[in-house]
Amino acid sequence: VSYSPEPQFEGMCLLPLPLASAASAERPVDAAANTARPISNAHSRALHLLVLQRRADGAEALLSSVLIEWRKVLQVGRCTLAVELPGVGALSQLPVGSVEMRLELVEPSALAKPHTPLTEPMLQAQLHAERASEVSAERAFLAYARTWWADYLRLRDSHRQRPVKLFAMSELGVQRPVTAFISPMDAGRLLDSPLAAAHFVSLIGFERSTAERLDTWHTAHSTLARKRGDAEEHALLLCSLLLGFGLDAYVCLGADANGPHAWVMTRRSYEREGGLTFWESLTGERFDVSLRGEAVEAAAKATMPFKSVACIFSACSLYANVQPETALGSCQLVLDDETLWKRMDPAKLRALTPLPQGCLSPPAL
């Protein structure tokens, strides 16, 4: 939609909702006793709306990113939502505009069973329960992270200088655990292999974060929409795609010859072939690393650009290097050894709500 003081957004898009299973459809819902969830987990994901501006050089800049609670339409069947569009990052408290959305629940076919509207008490009870659960998990994790970080710093004085990152500023203007930026992404038929995923991510433009962004990490949805991102955002997207292919993938925070850097690591089964693969998400290059004594061999170290690693994380795991040296070739990469890597509790990480992931193909217009 071209720029104007009052732009006319007349586009319509279909957002398919998964159908309830036969078992859940037949199960009665008692709103008073709250004995069953009136909305399935598949319907609890918020609608992620991005507003972008095309710059003079053809690149697209992100103006606004907002999560929209759309489920009122499940109660009334048709509704209008007025959404205020906040700025991004440091400007998240300043609105850049507003948009009006008209939602309508459309039955998939004339043969489908008619939709039974939810009552307002049922909807509000679930929304309140979900929000309370999210807040409780976030508070518990924050307290746990403070204790975990204090224990990590007490192990060695040099840990204060290591690029171990537990939280990052999201484009939504709030600090989020770094693991929340990753979740498995199913490429469907659009990408047929992990190699194709690495090549696809390497085609996304590189854009170095600036001081004005306060080191903001964008979601995978935003990276795909803008078609550009920093090294961390390339690595987050590639890790999500490799997880979707079933690989044991992680984002590595460390350094290359130019300074702080992020890349992706996948672990191969030790029972089969052993070793690791490092993926440079900016170029699509792979570096197969065979381990001797669980450390990177000198030959592999000489060919790859990565110099040191201080932190490794994925969707539900985070490891911080507690060895005297972080240089590849000097440190060991056995993540399961607690004397080498300090691990966060996976159960605490699984309880957190991930950030919106997006998809490779846009919704049908």
Side-chain angles (χ1 to χ4, degrees), residues 186-193 196 245 359-362:
D186 184 7
R189 297 176 179 268
L190 298 176
L191 299 172
D192 57 10
S193 69
F245 280 104
C359 58
L360 297 185
S361 59

Side-chain angles (χ1 to χ4, degrees), residues 250-301:
Y250 303 82
V251 170
C252 299
L253 297 181
D256 62 4
N258 298 318
H261 191 54
W263 66 96
V264 177
M265 179 186 81
T266 55
R267 294 198 296 179
R268 300 192 294 272
S269 171
Y270 282 94
E271 292 75 17
R272 296 181 181 179
E273 52 187 319
L276 310 168
T277 300
F278 288 149
W279 306 67
E280 175 51 85
S281 52
L282 296 179
T283 63
E285 292 178 282
R286 291 190 312 154
F287 303 90
D288 290 325
V289 180
S290 59
L291 300 178
R292 178 175 298 170
E294 315 303 350
V296 178
E297 291 184 339
K301 176 185 172 185

Side-chain angles (χ1 to χ4, degrees), residues 300-315:
K301 176 185 172 185
T303 58
M304 62 186 181
F306 317 118
K307 302 303 180 184
S308 64
V309 58
C311 178
I312 296 175
F313 65 93
S314 189

